[in-house]
Structures are given as C-alpha cells and as structure tokens.
Amino acid sequence: MSGLRILVPIKRVIDYAVKPRVNRAQTAVETANVKHSMNPFDELSIEEAVRLRERKVPVSEIVAFSAGPPKSQDILRTAMAMGADRGIHVVVEDKDPQLEPLGVAKLLKKVVDEQKSNLVILGKQSIDDDAAQTGQMLAGLLNWPQATQASKVQVEGETVTVTKEVDGGVETVRAKLPMIITTDLRLNEPRYASLPNIMKAKKKPLEKKTLKDYELDAAPRLKTIKVTEPPPRKGGVKVEDVDGMISKLKELGAL
C-alpha cells in the first residue's frame, strides 16, 4: 500500500467551556470578544491521524484544512503542533457567504481532488451548529464508503476497520480505501501541543486560499429566522414513595 494521504478538516468554534449567548438581534450566537478554539471532535481527528503514523501505518502526509475567518490560522497552527505536516486555510471574511454543511462538503470534495487524499478524518459534528452532516455529504459527493462516529480505527493495507458504539453495544464496519471517517469522543484523548512543537509548527507550510480559488457556489440555502435561548428547566419534585410518584405522574398527565 502506498502511504496514506490524510486530510483532516478542522473548524474554529466558540470554546466548549464558554456558555454561548444569543446576540441582541436574535439572529445568531454572540461571537465578538468570545474565546474560540478548535472544535473538540476535530482535535480527535488530528490525534487519530497522528496516532496512525505512530502505529507504523504508512502515512505519507497529514494535511489540516480549515475554512473560516483569518483567526482560523491559530487552530491550524495548533493542529500542526499536534503533528499535522502542513495546513490549508480558505479565508472566509464576514462579507463572504457563510458556509453551510453542504457548501463545506462541496469545498472539501475539491480539496480532496486537489490534494489526492485517500482518507478523510473529521469530527462527527461541530459544537456550534451540531449539524453532523458534513462527513456524510462528502462521502456522497465522492461516492466513497463512510464510517461514522468511530470509537476505534484499524488500518491494514487497503482495508480499514472501524468500531463504533450503538444502542446496546458496538458495531464494526469494514471498507476499502479511499474512505471517510467521522470521530466520536471515545476514540482517543488528544495530546497537548508541547512548546517545542508549537515553535516547530510556526515553520510548517500554511497555504492561504479563498473561495474564489475553488470556484465554489457557496450561496446559503438556509435562512435563520430567529435564535432564542431555551426556556429554563423546571425544578424536580420529591415524592415519599411509589404510590406518590404514580399519583404525581397522573397529575402531570404522563400516565
């Protein structure tokens, strides 16, 4: 088997530890002056690509890719500090059409063709919109096999075996390269980028492009009508015994 050419798409999102707030216009979540970081599921993807190389699987190159505002280069440098060989940044300014999952999948297809990638590892979803659609759409556009929500990945020659958790147990799927894998939280624990690797990452190549370079039709097909916070949860009620619980459930109309 020739070496794997792994593409790892990553996204800059509001940090998972920050509580999102709806903006005053109720059109989106407030992003100004809010801490951002790499999407947690994408950290798993970078980590797994690097671990494949460490497990002596033939890996020719690991390319980290992101489409987003200029500050997205920060997470690309983080990915390279974790072990990616180089990065590609498609700069999307505020005035540009904001990418939706289908637009991202179309863009990734062009990148896969350009980079001649034969394995794409990406997070199962991003924690900002939780769409969980991009990997599946990309597999459809490329007509490649896919394995979603991976909790274990094994590569033997041209065959990839992926284990994932399902209701009541685990499911194992097997496919031939090229293919798409989306990552779940149990797959691994991402490493911290060490200071020496952070310094080395500054010298790794980072290519900047625009949507025009890919001649992509990224016009939005969805329109957000209104964004509101969920209603506060009501407090629980304590009951003395089972009879009391049944009476309360009947009172609430649950029985």
Side-chain angles (χ1 to χ4, degrees):
M1 179 187 76
S2 59
L4 287 173
R5 299 182 61 84
I6 306 175
L7 178 69
V8 185
I10 60 178
K11 186 177 183 181
R12 178 178 180 266
V13 299
I14 294 176
D15 189 86
Y16 73 93
V18 174
K19 182 180 179 181
R21 295 180 292 108
V22 177
N23 62 20
R24 291 184 179 181
Q26 292 188 315
T27 56
V29 171
E30 184 62 63
T31 57
N33 301 316
V34 176
K35 182 182 177 183
H36 285 66
S37 58
M38 190 190 305
N39 181 48
F41 291 101
D42 300 339
E43 288 184 317
L44 300 168
S45 303
I46 287 288
E47 177 67 24
E48 191 62 23
V50 174
R51 288 192 185 193
L52 287 175
R53 173 178 279 165
E54 291 174 345
R55 293 199 293 264
K56 307 303 181 184
V57 174
V59 175
S60 295
E61 190 174 42
I62 300 171
V63 178
F65 171 87
S66 188
K71 289 186 177 180
S72 294
Q73 66 177 328
D74 295 341
I75 63 168
L76 285 166
R77 291 294 180 192
T78 299
M80 289 187 280
M82 291 174 66
D85 299 307
R86 60 187 176 93
I88 300 174
H89 181 197
V90 175
V91 181
V92 181
E93 303 284 359
D94 290 340
K95 65 180 184 299
D96 295 327
Q98 297 307 297
L99 292 171
E100 297 169 350
L102 180 58
V104 176
K106 288 181 176 180
L107 176 58
L108 288 175
K109 180 181 183 301
K110 291 178 178 288
V111 176
V112 166
D113 293 338
E114 175 188 70
Q115 301 298 318
K116 296 181 172 55
S117 307
N118 57 0
L119 178 62
V120 182
I121 307 177
L122 67 163
K124 70 171 185 176
Q125 65 195 79
S126 60
I127 62 172
D128 49 5
D129 59 17
D130 282 328
Q133 297 173 340
T134 303
Q136 292 88 329
M137 288 178 171
L138 178 59
L141 292 172
L142 288 168
N143 196 28
W144 285 8
Q146 60 177 303
T148 59
Q149 299 173 274
S151 59
K152 184 178 180 181
V153 176
Q154 295 175 289
V155 179
E156 297 178 357
E158 297 290 332
T159 302
V160 181
T161 304
V162 174
T163 302
K164 58 181 180 177
E165 295 183 359
V166 296
D167 291 342
V170 295
E171 179 181 15
T172 302
V173 296
R174 185 174 291 117
K176 296 284 188 181
L177 293 168
M179 72 177 296
I180 309 292
I181 297 174
T182 71
T183 58
D184 206 352
L185 288 175
R186 294 189 187 275
L187 178 59
N188 58 51
E189 184 175 341
R191 69 195 66 193
Y192 287 101
S194 65
L195 183 58
N197 286 338
I198 291 173
M199 300 306 294
K200 290 177 183 177
K202 293 181 178 180
K203 298 181 179 180
K204 290 184 178 181
L206 176 57
E207 186 177 3
K208 292 186 179 181
K209 295 193 173 188
T210 66
L211 292 174
K212 291 182 180 179
D213 293 329
Y214 290 98
E215 300 179 350
L216 180 72
D217 174 19
R221 288 169 168 76
L222 304 174
K223 181 179 179 181
T224 301
I225 306 299
K226 188 177 183 181
V227 178
T228 59
E229 293 190 12
R233 296 181 63 178
K234 296 181 180 179
V237 177
K238 290 185 177 180
V239 294
E240 296 295 330
D241 49 29
V242 175
D243 291 336
M245 181 181 69
I246 293 174
S247 299
K248 192 64 179 178
L249 292 173
K250 287 181 178 179
E251 180 183 327
L252 295 172
L255 288 178

